[in-house]
Amino acid sequence: MIPVRGYSGHKVLVLGLGRSGLPSARALREGGAEVLVWDDGEAARAAAEAEGFAAADPTRGGGLDGVKAMIVSPGIPHLYPAPHPAVAAAWDAGVVVDNDIGLFFRSFATPAWEKFDRAPTVVCVTGSNGKSTTAALIAHVAGLAGRTVQVGGNFGRGALDLDPAEDGMVVVLELSSYQIDLARALAPDIAVFMNLSPDHLDRHGGMGGYFAAKRRLFDQGGPERSVIGVDENEGRFLANVVREEAGTGEPVIRISSGRKLSGPGWNVFARKGFLAEWRGGRQVASIDLRGVATLPGAHNHQNACAAYAVARSLGLGPKQIEAALASYPGLAHRSQLIATRADGVKVINDSKATNVDAAEKALLSFDRIRWIAGGRAKEGGIAALGPLFGRIAKAYLIGEAAEDFAATLGETPSEIAGTMERAVERALAEAEPGEVVLLAPACASFDQYASFETRGRHFEELVKAALGL
C-alpha cells in the first residue's frame, strides 16, 4: 500500500468502492486522513463499513461538510454523458475532485528516494487497444533484466494498492481515458500512447474529448520520454506536438506496425514480422517476431514495438530485449492460445476484444476462422469488419447483438448460438483441420457476464472440458 500524502488530519470522501475505491480508502487512512465512503450499492457500502469506514451520502444535506476532497472511481461518470449527482454536489460545494491516479502521483515519491542509488521509474501506458499486453510485456522484459517491477492501474492491482518504491523499481501503470481525464496530478517518467479508435465516446462527448483525455498524460504529465504510436492521425499529431527538437525528435520514440518509419529521429516499427529500430537515419537493431507464438498478428507486433522502445529507454540492449520477448508467456484473454487439437485446430481466447477495432486485429491474425462473437454491441456494430468476412469460415453469435450481427454478416455463414456453451459446442464440432476457433466478441460482456475476464474464463473452461484437457 502507498500511504496518501497531503491529507493527514483532513476529511476525504471516496466515491465508488470497487477495485480502486477500497484501496484508495485504505491508503488515505494509512496517510492519516479521516475517510468517508459512499457507493450506490448497499453491499459495497457494507463491505467498507466492515473495515471501519463510515458511509456518508454526499448528495444529502451536510454530506460534504468539512470534506476537503472527493476521490472518484473510474467507472463513475464525472462529466459525460452526465456527471454523477455526487460529483455535481462536490462541484457546488467547492470540494476538490480527484482519483486514485492523482493520489498516486502526489504520494509515490518520498524523501526516502534521496537514499536510492537509482530512482524508480514510472511507465504509463494508454491507448484504445493493446494497453494490457504492452504493460505486461514491459514488466516481463524489465523483470528479466533484474529490475523490481510492479504492474497496476487499470490492469492488475489498483495504483494505491502497489508497494512503496524501492531502489531502481519500475512501476508500469495501464491507464484508461477515465483515469487520465480526472487525475489532478500526472508525472510519468515514460508515457506510451498506443493507438486510438472509437470507444467510450459517451463518457467523453465524442472522439475529440476521448483523444483530449489521452493527451493529458503527455501535456500535463510532461514525461521525460514519450513512446507514441503513429498509425493514426491522432498519434502523428501528438508526436509532433511533443517533439522538442526538429533534428533528433527528442523526447519522442515513434512506433508503428505495418510501415517503415523514416526521418532523423528515434523510430521502432514492425513490418512483415520483423521489428526494427532506427536512430539518426540508420538501423541499429532488428528482431524476428514471427516465431513468438504468444504475440500473433500486427497488433501484437505494435505492442512489442512499444515494449521494446520502453525497454531501450530503461537502458536495456536489443539482444537482452529479444530474448525476453521470445520467452513472453502471453496474457489471459488477449490472443491467448487455449489449446491445439490433434488435427491442428487452434483455440484462441481474445475476450478482451470488446470493440470492433480490437476484433479486427484478432481477425487479421488468422486465415480460416470459426468466429465466436456477440454480447452488448458498441455503436456501429460490426459493419466496419466487412472486408475481413472472407476470413470467417463461420460465425457463432451470442448475446444481445446476435441477430444484428447475423444480419450484418449477410452471406457469410453464421448461426445464432445464443449462449457461449452452444457456440463452443458448435464451433468445435464443425472446425476443420488447420482452422482457428476464435473468441473475439467485438462487444462488451455485460449482457451475460460481469466482465470480459469472466467471459474468457467461461470460454476456456468449456473448451478444456470439451477437449478433455
Side-chain angles (χ1 to χ4, degrees), residues 189-211:
D189 298 294
I190 303 171
V192 182
F193 175 87
M194 297 297 300
N195 46 55
L196 198 77
S197 62
D199 205 1
H200 311 305
L201 301 189
D202 60 328
R203 283 286 301 269
H204 297 291
M207 279 293 286
Y210 182 40
F211 176 56

Short mmCIF file of all heavy atoms in Angstrom, two decimals, residues 189-211:
data_model
loop_
_atom_site.label_atom_id
_atom_site.label_comp_id
_atom_site.label_asym_id
_atom_site.label_seq_id
_atom_site.Cartn_x
_atom_site.Cartn_y
_atom_site.Cartn_z
N ASP A 189 7.47 9.06 -15.87
CA ASP A 189 8.81 9.22 -16.44
C ASP A 189 8.82 8.85 -17.91
O ASP A 189 9.48 9.50 -18.72
CB ASP A 189 9.80 8.33 -15.67
CG ASP A 189 9.89 8.71 -14.21
OD1 ASP A 189 10.37 9.81 -13.92
OD2 ASP A 189 9.47 7.90 -13.36
N ILE A 190 8.07 7.80 -18.24
CA ILE A 190 7.91 7.36 -19.63
C ILE A 190 6.42 7.19 -19.88
O ILE A 190 5.73 6.52 -19.10
CB ILE A 190 8.64 6.03 -19.90
CG1 ILE A 190 10.13 6.14 -19.57
CG2 ILE A 190 8.45 5.59 -21.35
CD1 ILE A 190 10.87 4.81 -19.61
N ALA A 191 5.90 7.81 -20.94
CA ALA A 191 4.49 7.70 -21.28
C ALA A 191 4.35 7.06 -22.65
O ALA A 191 5.11 7.38 -23.58
CB ALA A 191 3.82 9.07 -21.26
N VAL A 192 3.38 6.16 -22.78
CA VAL A 192 3.17 5.41 -24.02
C VAL A 192 1.75 5.65 -24.52
O VAL A 192 0.79 5.46 -23.78
CB VAL A 192 3.39 3.90 -23.80
CG1 VAL A 192 3.22 3.14 -25.12
CG2 VAL A 192 4.77 3.63 -23.20
N PHE A 193 1.64 6.06 -25.78
CA PHE A 193 0.35 6.18 -26.47
C PHE A 193 0.34 5.14 -27.57
O PHE A 193 1.14 5.20 -28.51
CB PHE A 193 0.19 7.58 -27.06
CG PHE A 193 -1.06 7.78 -27.88
CD1 PHE A 193 -2.24 8.15 -27.28
CD2 PHE A 193 -1.04 7.61 -29.26
CE1 PHE A 193 -3.40 8.33 -28.03
CE2 PHE A 193 -2.18 7.79 -30.03
CZ PHE A 193 -3.37 8.16 -29.40
N MET A 194 -0.57 4.15 -27.45
CA MET A 194 -0.58 3.04 -28.39
C MET A 194 -1.31 3.38 -29.69
O MET A 194 -0.77 3.25 -30.78
CB MET A 194 -1.24 1.82 -27.73
CG MET A 194 -0.50 1.29 -26.52
SD MET A 194 1.15 0.70 -26.93
CE MET A 194 0.77 -0.59 -28.11
N ASN A 195 -2.57 3.77 -29.58
CA ASN A 195 -3.44 3.94 -30.75
C ASN A 195 -4.73 4.59 -30.29
O ASN A 195 -4.95 4.78 -29.09
CB ASN A 195 -3.73 2.57 -31.40
CG ASN A 195 -4.10 1.51 -30.38
OD1 ASN A 195 -5.03 1.69 -29.59
ND2 ASN A 195 -3.38 0.40 -30.37
N LEU A 196 -5.60 4.88 -31.23
CA LEU A 196 -6.89 5.46 -30.88
C LEU A 196 -7.95 4.97 -31.86
O LEU A 196 -7.77 5.05 -33.07
CB LEU A 196 -6.84 6.99 -30.92
CG LEU A 196 -7.98 7.69 -30.17
CD1 LEU A 196 -7.73 7.65 -28.67
CD2 LEU A 196 -8.14 9.12 -30.63
N SER A 197 -9.03 4.43 -31.31
CA SER A 197 -10.18 4.03 -32.12
C SER A 197 -11.44 4.33 -31.32
O SER A 197 -11.37 4.46 -30.09
CB SER A 197 -10.11 2.54 -32.48
OG SER A 197 -10.14 1.74 -31.31
N PRO A 198 -12.59 4.47 -31.96
CA PRO A 198 -13.80 4.87 -31.24
C PRO A 198 -14.14 3.91 -30.10
O PRO A 198 -14.32 2.72 -30.30
CB PRO A 198 -14.88 4.83 -32.33
CG PRO A 198 -14.13 5.04 -33.60
CD PRO A 198 -12.83 4.34 -33.42
N ASP A 199 -14.23 4.44 -28.90
CA ASP A 199 -14.58 3.66 -27.72
C ASP A 199 -14.88 4.64 -26.59
O ASP A 199 -14.27 5.72 -26.53
CB ASP A 199 -13.43 2.72 -27.33
CG ASP A 199 -13.91 1.50 -26.55
OD1 ASP A 199 -15.13 1.37 -26.34
OD2 ASP A 199 -13.06 0.68 -26.16
N HIS A 200 -15.77 4.28 -25.71
CA HIS A 200 -16.11 5.11 -24.55
C HIS A 200 -16.54 6.53 -24.95
O HIS A 200 -16.35 7.48 -24.18
CB HIS A 200 -14.92 5.22 -23.58
CG HIS A 200 -14.28 3.92 -23.24
ND1 HIS A 200 -14.99 2.87 -22.72
CD2 HIS A 200 -13.00 3.49 -23.35
CE1 HIS A 200 -14.17 1.85 -22.51
NE2 HIS A 200 -12.96 2.19 -22.89
N LEU A 201 -17.08 6.69 -26.14
CA LEU A 201 -17.37 8.04 -26.63
C LEU A 201 -18.44 8.74 -25.80
O LEU A 201 -18.44 9.98 -25.70
CB LEU A 201 -17.77 8.00 -28.10
CG LEU A 201 -16.72 7.41 -29.06
CD1 LEU A 201 -17.16 7.63 -30.50
CD2 LEU A 201 -15.33 8.00 -28.81
N ASP A 202 -19.35 7.96 -25.20
CA ASP A 202 -20.38 8.59 -24.37
C ASP A 202 -19.78 9.23 -23.14
O ASP A 202 -20.31 10.22 -22.63
CB ASP A 202 -21.43 7.56 -23.96
CG ASP A 202 -20.85 6.40 -23.17
OD1 ASP A 202 -19.68 6.03 -23.42
OD2 ASP A 202 -21.56 5.86 -22.30
N ARG A 203 -18.65 8.71 -22.66
CA ARG A 203 -18.01 9.25 -21.46
C ARG A 203 -17.14 10.47 -21.76
O ARG A 203 -16.68 11.14 -20.83
CB ARG A 203 -17.15 8.17 -20.80
CG ARG A 203 -17.93 7.13 -19.99
CD ARG A 203 -18.45 7.70 -18.68
NE ARG A 203 -17.40 8.18 -17.83
CZ ARG A 203 -16.77 7.46 -16.91
NH1 ARG A 203 -17.12 6.20 -16.72
NH2 ARG A 203 -15.82 7.99 -16.17
N HIS A 204 -16.89 10.75 -23.03
CA HIS A 204 -16.01 11.86 -23.36
C HIS A 204 -16.62 12.86 -24.34
O HIS A 204 -15.93 13.76 -24.81
CB HIS A 204 -14.69 11.32 -23.94
CG HIS A 204 -13.92 10.49 -22.97
ND1 HIS A 204 -13.30 11.03 -21.86
CD2 HIS A 204 -13.67 9.16 -22.93
CE1 HIS A 204 -12.69 10.06 -21.18
NE2 HIS A 204 -12.90 8.92 -21.80
N GLY A 205 -17.90 12.70 -24.65
CA GLY A 205 -18.55 13.64 -25.55
C GLY A 205 -18.07 13.56 -26.97
O GLY A 205 -18.15 14.54 -27.72
N GLY A 206 -17.54 12.40 -27.40
CA GLY A 206 -17.09 12.22 -28.77
C GLY A 206 -15.60 11.94 -28.86
O GLY A 206 -14.88 11.91 -27.86
N MET A 207 -15.12 11.74 -30.10
CA MET A 207 -13.73 11.39 -30.33
C MET A 207 -12.77 12.48 -29.86
O MET A 207 -11.68 12.20 -29.35
CB MET A 207 -13.48 11.10 -31.81
CG MET A 207 -13.89 9.70 -32.24
SD MET A 207 -12.87 8.39 -31.50
CE MET A 207 -11.35 8.57 -32.44
N GLY A 208 -13.16 13.75 -30.05
CA GLY A 208 -12.28 14.84 -29.64
C GLY A 208 -12.03 14.81 -28.14
O GLY A 208 -10.88 14.97 -27.68
N GLY A 209 -13.09 14.61 -27.37
CA GLY A 209 -12.92 14.54 -25.93
C GLY A 209 -12.15 13.31 -25.49
O GLY A 209 -11.38 13.34 -24.53
N TYR A 210 -12.36 12.20 -26.21
CA TYR A 210 -11.65 10.95 -25.91
C TYR A 210 -10.15 11.14 -26.11
O TYR A 210 -9.32 10.79 -25.25
CB TYR A 210 -12.20 9.86 -26.82
CG TYR A 210 -11.62 8.48 -26.65
CD1 TYR A 210 -11.32 7.95 -25.40
CD2 TYR A 210 -11.40 7.67 -27.77
CE1 TYR A 210 -10.82 6.67 -25.26
CE2 TYR A 210 -10.91 6.39 -27.64
CZ TYR A 210 -10.61 5.89 -26.38
OH TYR A 210 -10.11 4.63 -26.26
N PHE A 211 -9.76 11.73 -27.25
CA PHE A 211 -8.34 11.98 -27.51
C PHE A 211 -7.78 13.00 -26.53
O PHE A 211 -6.65 12.86 -26.05
CB PHE A 211 -8.16 12.46 -28.95
CG PHE A 211 -6.73 12.83 -29.28
CD1 PHE A 211 -5.70 11.93 -29.10
CD2 PHE A 211 -6.43 14.09 -29.77
CE1 PHE A 211 -4.39 12.26 -29.41
CE2 PHE A 211 -5.13 14.44 -30.09
CZ PHE A 211 -4.10 13.52 -29.91
#
